[in-house]
Structure formats: structure tokens, C-alpha cells
Amino acid sequence: QVQLQQWGAGLLKPSETLSLTCAVYGGSFSDYYWNWIRQPPGKGLEWIGEINHSGSTNYNPPLKSRVTISVDTSKNQFSLQLSSVTAADTAVYYCARRDSSWFIYDFWGQGILVTVSS
Amino acid sequence: SSELTQDPAVSVALGQTVRITCQGDSIRSYYASWYQQKPGQAPVLVIYAKSKRPSGIPDRFSGSRSGNTASLTITGAQAEDEADYYCNCRESSGNLVVFGGGTKLTVL
């Protein structure tokens, strides 16, 4: 059974850099795209970006200038960095596995609430 | 960029049928998938590739597509189906991802 376990700092000050990591247990790491998706409190899902095992990335254009997604295949982990955060970046951040064939998110992490506050 | 539009809220009487829709240009080219999200939980995939269901999803959930509109139908809605539902699709460019704004389903 595939499990995604994520961790990172939950409280940031404005202008700091958000940093989260997601570890993948079970299943193939190389056959999928690994995604970050966020959800502001009381709002909908927003796709942040994705990476595959070889480091190829796609980013949501509105966030692209502030986002870096990286991968460590030796540990089956991938990470998100979001720079210059503001209160608008307060959200639950999810990592998720995207199936390449059907373009679906079939496994998700538990989610982490990241709050940006001075 | 491409957008997916959903009705913010829909209600259905217990045991009745409800359709939740998702409109967007990218749906003409790519199948949408549907996710159910209950409070405090991560989303769960319920329908993909028009009307495929992952293991464990009841067969009262089905999907369809017509033109630029994807639909999720729940036939015989149950109390446990009360949740937020999100559609998701590739953007028209093919490399990017877009989510609909979500539909809050209330089962009366």
C-alpha cells in the first residue's frame, strides 16, 4: 500500500521561505509525477506544481516565480520551497501522487497547515 | 489559463439522484476526474476517465462528459455522500493542472 508522509514548519513569518518534504512509501517512485497542492482555509484546491523522478518539473504559472520543487530519489522523497510567503499563502499543503496514464491523484499525504503570520 | 467552473452548492434529498457539473474548455480535450473531500480530510478520488471508479468507491457514483462539461452523478445519494466535490483536469496546454472551485453537496 502506498503512503505519503509529509512534514515541515507550520508557522512562518511574512517574507520567510516555506519548506515541506514528502516521503513516499510503497509502490514505484519512478513511474509517477509527484505533486504539491494547497487549500486555503475554507477555500478550494490549488495546484502548485509537480516533479518526476528525473527532476522534470511543471509549475502553476501564478506561483512559478516563487516555487521550487526538488526530488531525492535515493530517499523516495520530494520537497517544496515557496519563497517570500505572505498571509495569502496560509493553507493546508498536500503532497500527492499523480498517475501519468490517467492524470489522476490516487494517493495523498495527510496535509499540513502552514500559517503565515507576523 | 484554463479554468473549471462548478456550482458552489447543490442539495439532494436522501436516496435521490444528483448531478454535479464542471465546465471548461480543457474538458473538450481531456477527461476530468472527481474528488470527494470531507471536513479535515484529504481529497479522495471517486471518478476518473469519464466514468471509472477506483476500488472501494460505490457504484452509485458515475461520470459523463458532453462537450465542455463533465458531470458527476450520484444515484441514490446517502448521508455519507455529503461532502465537497472537486473536478480536475489537464489544462489545454497538456502539462499543467487545474481544479474546479468545488461544489458543496448537502444531503437533506
Side-chain angles (χ1 to χ4, degrees):
Chain A
Q1 177 72 340
V2 175
Q3 291 187 358
L4 280 66
Q5 186 170 0
Q6 52 186 114
W7 64 88
L11 180 60
L12 296 173
K13 290 180 167 47
S15 81
E16 292 184 335
T17 296
L18 178 156
S19 182
L20 300 175
T21 298
C22 184
V24 180
Y25 301 99
S28 167
F29 191 77
S30 60
D31 291 340
Y32 299 90
Y33 267 83
W34 302 97
N35 282 242
W36 290 99
I37 295 161
R38 71 180 183 179
Q39 185 171 36
K43 296 188 178 180
L45 300 169
E46 180 182 27
W47 179 67
I48 299 171
E50 64 181 7
I51 193 167
N52 68 4
H53 71 285
S54 62
S56 177
T57 55
N58 293 302
Y59 296 134
N60 192 350
L63 299 171
K64 188 173 183 177
S65 64
R66 297 194 293 130
V67 172
T68 301
I69 297 176
S70 58
V71 66
D72 184 342
T73 55
S74 68
K75 297 180 180 179
N76 283 5
Q77 293 177 2
F78 62 107
S79 298
L80 168 70
Q81 289 196 311
L82 179 66
S83 64
S84 304
V85 297
T86 70
D89 295 311
T90 294
V92 175
Y93 286 75
Y94 294 101
C95 57
R97 186 179 88 167
R98 178 173 75 75
D99 176 272
S100 300
S101 301
W102 295 108
F103 218 89
I104 57 175
Y105 296 101
D106 53 0
F107 290 95
W108 295 67
Q110 77 275 20
I112 293 178
L113 174 61
V114 177
T115 302
V116 180
S117 174
S118 56
Chain B
S1 64
S2 181
E3 293 184 350
L4 297 178
T5 301
Q6 299 182 239
D7 290 329
V10 171
S11 62
V12 61
L14 184 67
Q16 296 304 301
T17 296
V18 62
R19 176 174 292 182
I20 299 170
T21 61
C22 172
Q23 287 187 301
D25 287 342
S26 57
I27 291 173
R28 295 185 187 276
S29 305
Y30 302 108
Y31 285 123
S33 51
W34 290 93
Y35 300 83
Q36 176 193 71
Q37 186 181 35
K38 296 182 178 179
Q41 299 182 16
V44 173
L45 178 69
V46 294
I47 289 289
Y48 66 102
K50 190 172 74 172
S51 199
K52 291 185 183 293
R53 286 176 288 105
S55 174
I57 302 301
D59 61 5
R60 63 179 177 271
F61 289 88
S62 63
S64 62
R65 179 178 71 171
S66 178
N68 73 338
T69 301
S71 298
L72 171 70
T73 299
I74 306 174
T75 303
Q78 302 299 302
E80 61 263 33
D81 300 334
E82 187 164 288
D84 294 327
Y85 290 85
Y86 294 91
C87 61
N88 158 249
C89 190
R90 290 189 190 195
E91 246 196 3
S92 300
S93 67
N95 289 331
L96 306 182
V97 176
V98 62
F99 282 94
T103 297
K104 182 176 181 60
L105 175 66
T106 300
V107 180
L108 303 172

